[in-house]
Amino acid sequence: MYNVPADFINEQKVWDALENNQHPDPSRIREILARATEMKGLTLDEVAVLTCIQEPEMLEELYNTANRVKDTIYGKRLVLFAPLYISNLCANECLYCAFRASNKGINRHALSQEHIAREVEVLIKQGHKRILLVAGESYPKEGLQYVLDSVKTIYSVKSEHGEIRRVNVNVAPLSLDEFKQLKSTNIGTYQIFQETYHRETYAKVHKGGKKKDYNWRVWALHRAMEAGIDDVGIGVLFGLFDYRFEILAMIQHINELEDKFGVGPHTISVPRMEPATNSDMASNPPYPVSDADFKKIVAILRLAVPYTGIIMSTRETAKMRRETFAMGVSQISAGSKTNPGGYEEEDDISGQFSLGDHRSLDEVIRDVAAMGYIPSFCTACYRLGRTGQDFMDLAKPGDIKLHCGPNAVSSFKEYLQNFASPETVEVGNQLIQQTIDSMSGVARQRAEKLVKRVEAGRDDVYC
């Protein structure tokens, strides 16, 4: 099954949808936006219509609708995490990536388990609770065991006020049996990006290594979910091909997962091409995405797959990140480094790509809180089994907010007590009180109870 062409990515259907829905009139757009507020997702044709919006007035209506849907589902909550690059060894030739095998301009590292532990200690001392483990698509002689051991190492590191409570993983596509081994390490989400769904472009930009195989990669999430990993993350690298095509093809992929497994991806990432060491393509994207179109992408995805988390990394500037919170982004990285060993020591040339937001975790949190968003370090759903279909069964009727709101507040309070600067503590405590005051019923009772436990010295409280 997994070595055959992925016919669920039907390029002709994508082009037909775009061709048939050009120049939509405002009444058609408003009809689709109204349907989007029902939070049941959108069809391929409806998404195609939204990608064609150009008029400032209609764009504003798109953004406002995305804000309503995001606020209804997630409230004023942003989940934070940090990527941890354990290796930049790679056997692939991806023209847009600094890690490609032929690039001699970066320092190559595969961190030892002891070095990984030291990196984790730095992140814990900053206040992080979630890590996304990232590795180039080649490992030391241990092979996959290197990744499995690295996950165990991350979980093993403890300090006075914390530990990493959830490890998500972004590594090369695995076989079914290998995915079962990965699941046994108690990971959270398995994340992989197709980079581009356009087959001709995919072949042009992937010149060597296993990653040349489009089908092996696009079937990876099927294998992961069949292996029992029910939270998976999806994404493309915007800038490689027409963003309109990429959105619609990704919707086809999402629909396929929902049809086969009853639930789609837990997260969607929206990386936009940024400069990378010795990559002309990264500095000059074939299909550059403007800031206006990038915001449109985020808003459309929020309406098309309303219950799926949207992740924005530190590739983007602080300004762009701020502007997209209201349009659909629900998870962000902070204080990121994209080179192995980067948290312990600086190495500006060996990262995977250039960063747009260089602020520390504390600075990001203070900024987010000043905007009225609760920074959340919650990992309760993973640890209580609220994943996959179980999560969606709570999310769609709105019941998940009875857990997410209180847990976000208590995890933020824990950060303020143990890690924050005085300036962040002041802003954060005011926001926590305002947030609790805005709650009612069960949610408020739970939030007040959890915060009191944290104030009494308890860490890691959740419901």
PDB file of all heavy atoms in Angstrom, residues 291-313:
ATOM      1  N   ASP A 291       3.541  38.986   2.937  1.00  0.00           N
ATOM      2  CA  ASP A 291       2.948  39.008   4.279  1.00  0.00           C
ATOM      3  C   ASP A 291       1.431  38.968   4.217  1.00  0.00           C
ATOM      4  O   ASP A 291       0.782  38.296   5.029  1.00  0.00           O
ATOM      5  CB  ASP A 291       3.397  40.271   5.031  1.00  0.00           C
ATOM      6  CG  ASP A 291       4.859  40.214   5.457  1.00  0.00           C
ATOM      7  OD1 ASP A 291       5.497  39.145   5.307  1.00  0.00           O
ATOM      8  OD2 ASP A 291       5.366  41.241   5.940  1.00  0.00           O
ATOM      9  N   ALA A 292       0.842  39.663   3.264  1.00  0.00           N
ATOM     10  CA  ALA A 292      -0.615  39.678   3.138  1.00  0.00           C
ATOM     11  C   ALA A 292      -1.144  38.288   2.807  1.00  0.00           C
ATOM     12  O   ALA A 292      -2.143  37.828   3.392  1.00  0.00           O
ATOM     13  CB  ALA A 292      -1.045  40.677   2.070  1.00  0.00           C
ATOM     14  N   ASP A 293      -0.493  37.603   1.875  1.00  0.00           N
ATOM     15  CA  ASP A 293      -0.931  36.248   1.529  1.00  0.00           C
ATOM     16  C   ASP A 293      -0.669  35.273   2.672  1.00  0.00           C
ATOM     17  O   ASP A 293      -1.431  34.319   2.879  1.00  0.00           O
ATOM     18  CB  ASP A 293      -0.224  35.768   0.268  1.00  0.00           C
ATOM     19  CG  ASP A 293      -0.787  36.399  -0.999  1.00  0.00           C
ATOM     20  OD1 ASP A 293      -1.954  36.843  -0.961  1.00  0.00           O
ATOM     21  OD2 ASP A 293      -0.064  36.457  -2.015  1.00  0.00           O
ATOM     22  N   PHE A 294       0.410  35.503   3.414  1.00  0.00           N
ATOM     23  CA  PHE A 294       0.720  34.611   4.534  1.00  0.00           C
ATOM     24  C   PHE A 294      -0.379  34.692   5.598  1.00  0.00           C
ATOM     25  O   PHE A 294      -0.810  33.668   6.143  1.00  0.00           O
ATOM     26  CB  PHE A 294       2.075  34.979   5.123  1.00  0.00           C
ATOM     27  CG  PHE A 294       2.591  33.981   6.119  1.00  0.00           C
ATOM     28  CD1 PHE A 294       2.782  32.662   5.785  1.00  0.00           C
ATOM     29  CD2 PHE A 294       2.899  34.379   7.421  1.00  0.00           C
ATOM     30  CE1 PHE A 294       3.267  31.739   6.701  1.00  0.00           C
ATOM     31  CE2 PHE A 294       3.389  33.474   8.345  1.00  0.00           C
ATOM     32  CZ  PHE A 294       3.570  32.156   7.986  1.00  0.00           C
ATOM     33  N   LYS A 295      -0.827  35.895   5.891  1.00  0.00           N
ATOM     34  CA  LYS A 295      -1.923  36.042   6.850  1.00  0.00           C
ATOM     35  C   LYS A 295      -3.194  35.386   6.320  1.00  0.00           C
ATOM     36  O   LYS A 295      -3.960  34.792   7.080  1.00  0.00           O
ATOM     37  CB  LYS A 295      -2.153  37.526   7.157  1.00  0.00           C
ATOM     38  CG  LYS A 295      -1.030  38.148   7.981  1.00  0.00           C
ATOM     39  CD  LYS A 295      -1.346  39.554   8.437  1.00  0.00           C
ATOM     40  CE  LYS A 295      -1.230  40.552   7.328  1.00  0.00           C
ATOM     41  NZ  LYS A 295      -1.365  41.948   7.819  1.00  0.00           N
ATOM     42  N   LYS A 296      -3.397  35.480   5.030  1.00  0.00           N
ATOM     43  CA  LYS A 296      -4.569  34.844   4.419  1.00  0.00           C
ATOM     44  C   LYS A 296      -4.490  33.324   4.570  1.00  0.00           C
ATOM     45  O   LYS A 296      -5.494  32.671   4.849  1.00  0.00           O
ATOM     46  CB  LYS A 296      -4.679  35.243   2.952  1.00  0.00           C
ATOM     47  CG  LYS A 296      -5.914  34.712   2.258  1.00  0.00           C
ATOM     48  CD  LYS A 296      -6.212  35.437   0.951  1.00  0.00           C
ATOM     49  CE  LYS A 296      -5.194  35.156  -0.115  1.00  0.00           C
ATOM     50  NZ  LYS A 296      -5.610  35.683  -1.434  1.00  0.00           N
ATOM     51  N   ILE A 297      -3.307  32.761   4.390  1.00  0.00           N
ATOM     52  CA  ILE A 297      -3.112  31.323   4.558  1.00  0.00           C
ATOM     53  C   ILE A 297      -3.552  30.871   5.947  1.00  0.00           C
ATOM     54  O   ILE A 297      -4.283  29.894   6.115  1.00  0.00           O
ATOM     55  CB  ILE A 297      -1.632  30.950   4.317  1.00  0.00           C
ATOM     56  CG1 ILE A 297      -1.283  31.058   2.840  1.00  0.00           C
ATOM     57  CG2 ILE A 297      -1.338  29.542   4.831  1.00  0.00           C
ATOM     58  CD1 ILE A 297       0.212  30.987   2.552  1.00  0.00           C
ATOM     59  N   VAL A 298      -3.077  31.592   6.966  1.00  0.00           N
ATOM     60  CA  VAL A 298      -3.412  31.228   8.352  1.00  0.00           C
ATOM     61  C   VAL A 298      -4.921  31.291   8.578  1.00  0.00           C
ATOM     62  O   VAL A 298      -5.518  30.375   9.149  1.00  0.00           O
ATOM     63  CB  VAL A 298      -2.673  32.150   9.345  1.00  0.00           C
ATOM     64  CG1 VAL A 298      -3.151  31.892  10.775  1.00  0.00           C
ATOM     65  CG2 VAL A 298      -1.169  31.945   9.241  1.00  0.00           C
ATOM     66  N   ALA A 299      -5.550  32.355   8.123  1.00  0.00           N
ATOM     67  CA  ALA A 299      -6.991  32.523   8.330  1.00  0.00           C
ATOM     68  C   ALA A 299      -7.786  31.435   7.617  1.00  0.00           C
ATOM     69  O   ALA A 299      -8.746  30.881   8.174  1.00  0.00           O
ATOM     70  CB  ALA A 299      -7.429  33.904   7.850  1.00  0.00           C
ATOM     71  N   ILE A 300      -7.399  31.109   6.396  1.00  0.00           N
ATOM     72  CA  ILE A 300      -8.115  30.077   5.639  1.00  0.00           C
ATOM     73  C   ILE A 300      -7.995  28.718   6.325  1.00  0.00           C
ATOM     74  O   ILE A 300      -8.981  27.986   6.452  1.00  0.00           O
ATOM     75  CB  ILE A 300      -7.586  30.001   4.196  1.00  0.00           C
ATOM     76  CG1 ILE A 300      -7.988  31.251   3.415  1.00  0.00           C
ATOM     77  CG2 ILE A 300      -8.108  28.753   3.485  1.00  0.00           C
ATOM     78  CD1 ILE A 300      -7.329  31.360   2.053  1.00  0.00           C
ATOM     79  N   LEU A 301      -6.804  28.380   6.778  1.00  0.00           N
ATOM     80  CA  LEU A 301      -6.626  27.091   7.450  1.00  0.00           C
ATOM     81  C   LEU A 301      -7.437  27.015   8.740  1.00  0.00           C
ATOM     82  O   LEU A 301      -7.994  25.959   9.069  1.00  0.00           O
ATOM     83  CB  LEU A 301      -5.143  26.847   7.738  1.00  0.00           C
ATOM     84  CG  LEU A 301      -4.277  26.559   6.512  1.00  0.00           C
ATOM     85  CD1 LEU A 301      -2.805  26.503   6.899  1.00  0.00           C
ATOM     86  CD2 LEU A 301      -4.700  25.263   5.843  1.00  0.00           C
ATOM     87  N   ARG A 302      -7.534  28.128   9.466  1.00  0.00           N
ATOM     88  CA  ARG A 302      -8.338  28.118  10.685  1.00  0.00           C
ATOM     89  C   ARG A 302      -9.801  27.800  10.372  1.00  0.00           C
ATOM     90  O   ARG A 302     -10.471  27.071  11.113  1.00  0.00           O
ATOM     91  CB  ARG A 302      -8.210  29.460  11.406  1.00  0.00           C
ATOM     92  CG  ARG A 302      -9.128  29.649  12.593  1.00  0.00           C
ATOM     93  CD  ARG A 302      -9.080  28.498  13.597  1.00  0.00           C
ATOM     94  NE  ARG A 302      -7.761  28.308  14.173  1.00  0.00           N
ATOM     95  CZ  ARG A 302      -7.232  27.128  14.403  1.00  0.00           C
ATOM     96  NH1 ARG A 302      -7.875  26.009  14.082  1.00  0.00           N
ATOM     97  NH2 ARG A 302      -6.029  27.017  14.941  1.00  0.00           N
ATOM     98  N   LEU A 303     -10.316  28.318   9.259  1.00  0.00           N
ATOM     99  CA  LEU A 303     -11.718  28.067   8.903  1.00  0.00           C
ATOM    100  C   LEU A 303     -11.913  26.697   8.269  1.00  0.00           C
ATOM    101  O   LEU A 303     -12.943  26.052   8.476  1.00  0.00           O
ATOM    102  CB  LEU A 303     -12.203  29.155   7.939  1.00  0.00           C
ATOM    103  CG  LEU A 303     -12.142  30.586   8.467  1.00  0.00           C
ATOM    104  CD1 LEU A 303     -12.686  31.560   7.429  1.00  0.00           C
ATOM    105  CD2 LEU A 303     -12.917  30.724   9.773  1.00  0.00           C
ATOM    106  N   ALA A 304     -10.927  26.234   7.509  1.00  0.00           N
ATOM    107  CA  ALA A 304     -11.066  24.964   6.798  1.00  0.00           C
ATOM    108  C   ALA A 304     -10.971  23.770   7.731  1.00  0.00           C
ATOM    109  O   ALA A 304     -11.656  22.758   7.530  1.00  0.00           O
ATOM    110  CB  ALA A 304      -9.995  24.858   5.709  1.00  0.00           C
ATOM    111  N   VAL A 305     -10.103  23.848   8.745  1.00  0.00           N
ATOM    112  CA  VAL A 305      -9.935  22.756   9.720  1.00  0.00           C
ATOM    113  C   VAL A 305      -9.952  23.372  11.117  1.00  0.00           C
ATOM    114  O   VAL A 305      -8.908  23.516  11.769  1.00  0.00           O
ATOM    115  CB  VAL A 305      -8.629  21.966   9.463  1.00  0.00           C
ATOM    116  CG1 VAL A 305      -8.839  20.920   8.396  1.00  0.00           C
ATOM    117  CG2 VAL A 305      -7.481  22.878   9.049  1.00  0.00           C
ATOM    118  N   PRO A 306     -11.116  23.764  11.588  1.00  0.00           N
ATOM    119  CA  PRO A 306     -11.218  24.639  12.767  1.00  0.00           C
ATOM    120  C   PRO A 306     -10.663  24.071  14.060  1.00  0.00           C
ATOM    121  O   PRO A 306     -10.216  24.830  14.920  1.00  0.00           O
ATOM    122  CB  PRO A 306     -12.727  24.893  12.875  1.00  0.00           C
ATOM    123  CG  PRO A 306     -13.374  23.786  12.107  1.00  0.00           C
ATOM    124  CD  PRO A 306     -12.429  23.461  11.004  1.00  0.00           C
ATOM    125  N   TYR A 307     -10.673  22.753  14.231  1.00  0.00           N
ATOM    126  CA  TYR A 307     -10.251  22.184  15.515  1.00  0.00           C
ATOM    127  C   TYR A 307      -8.796  21.727  15.517  1.00  0.00           C
ATOM    128  O   TYR A 307      -8.339  21.117  16.485  1.00  0.00           O
ATOM    129  CB  TYR A 307     -11.170  21.016  15.883  1.00  0.00           C
ATOM    130  CG  TYR A 307     -12.575  21.477  16.147  1.00  0.00           C
ATOM    131  CD1 TYR A 307     -13.540  21.441  15.141  1.00  0.00           C
ATOM    132  CD2 TYR A 307     -12.941  21.997  17.387  1.00  0.00           C
ATOM    133  CE1 TYR A 307     -14.834  21.891  15.372  1.00  0.00           C
ATOM    134  CE2 TYR A 307     -14.219  22.451  17.626  1.00  0.00           C
ATOM    135  CZ  TYR A 307     -15.168  22.400  16.618  1.00  0.00           C
ATOM    136  OH  TYR A 307     -16.443  22.859  16.845  1.00  0.00           O
ATOM    137  N   THR A 308      -8.089  22.021  14.473  1.00  0.00           N
ATOM    138  CA  THR A 308      -6.681  21.630  14.375  1.00  0.00           C
ATOM    139  C   THR A 308      -5.789  22.790  14.809  1.00  0.00           C
ATOM    140  O   THR A 308      -5.989  23.923  14.392  1.00  0.00           O
ATOM    141  CB  THR A 308      -6.351  21.224  12.925  1.00  0.00           C
ATOM    142  OG1 THR A 308      -7.160  20.109  12.559  1.00  0.00           O
ATOM    143  CG2 THR A 308      -4.894  20.841  12.788  1.00  0.00           C
ATOM    144  N   GLY A 309      -4.796  22.488  15.645  1.00  0.00           N
ATOM    145  CA  GLY A 309      -3.876  23.529  16.085  1.00  0.00           C
ATOM    146  C   GLY A 309      -3.021  24.031  14.933  1.00  0.00           C
ATOM    147  O   GLY A 309      -2.608  23.252  14.075  1.00  0.00           O
ATOM    148  N   ILE A 310      -2.769  25.330  14.896  1.00  0.00           N
ATOM    149  CA  ILE A 310      -1.906  25.922  13.883  1.00  0.00           C
ATOM    150  C   ILE A 310      -0.633  26.437  14.567  1.00  0.00           C
ATOM    151  O   ILE A 310      -0.711  27.225  15.511  1.00  0.00           O
ATOM    152  CB  ILE A 310      -2.606  27.064  13.130  1.00  0.00           C
ATOM    153  CG1 ILE A 310      -3.824  26.511  12.357  1.00  0.00           C
ATOM    154  CG2 ILE A 310      -1.638  27.745  12.162  1.00  0.00           C
ATOM    155  CD1 ILE A 310      -4.588  27.565  11.588  1.00  0.00           C
ATOM    156  N   ILE A 311       0.508  25.950  14.077  1.00  0.00           N
ATOM    157  CA  ILE A 311       1.799  26.255  14.694  1.00  0.00           C
ATOM    158  C   ILE A 311       2.559  27.274  13.865  1.00  0.00           C
ATOM    159  O   ILE A 311       2.693  27.126  12.648  1.00  0.00           O
ATOM    160  CB  ILE A 311       2.659  24.977  14.811  1.00  0.00           C
ATOM    161  CG1 ILE A 311       1.959  23.937  15.694  1.00  0.00           C
ATOM    162  CG2 ILE A 311       4.038  25.314  15.377  1.00  0.00           C
ATOM    163  CD1 ILE A 311       2.696  22.607  15.750  1.00  0.00           C
ATOM    164  N   MET A 312       3.086  28.300  14.538  1.00  0.00           N
ATOM    165  CA  MET A 312       3.974  29.256  13.881  1.00  0.00           C
ATOM    166  C   MET A 312       5.300  29.310  14.635  1.00  0.00           C
ATOM    167  O   MET A 312       5.326  29.518  15.846  1.00  0.00           O
ATOM    168  CB  MET A 312       3.361  30.650  13.810  1.00  0.00           C
ATOM    169  CG  MET A 312       4.258  31.644  13.097  1.00  0.00           C
ATOM    170  SD  MET A 312       3.424  33.161  12.641  1.00  0.00           S
ATOM    171  CE  MET A 312       2.333  32.580  11.359  1.00  0.00           C
ATOM    172  N   SER A 313       6.381  29.111  13.897  1.00  0.00           N
ATOM    173  CA  SER A 313       7.702  29.048  14.518  1.00  0.00           C
ATOM    174  C   SER A 313       8.355  30.417  14.551  1.00  0.00           C
ATOM    175  O   SER A 313       7.806  31.418  14.081  1.00  0.00           O
ATOM    176  CB  SER A 313       8.587  28.066  13.740  1.00  0.00           C
ATOM    177  OG  SER A 313       9.021  28.665  12.523  1.00  0.00           O
TER     178      SER A 313
END
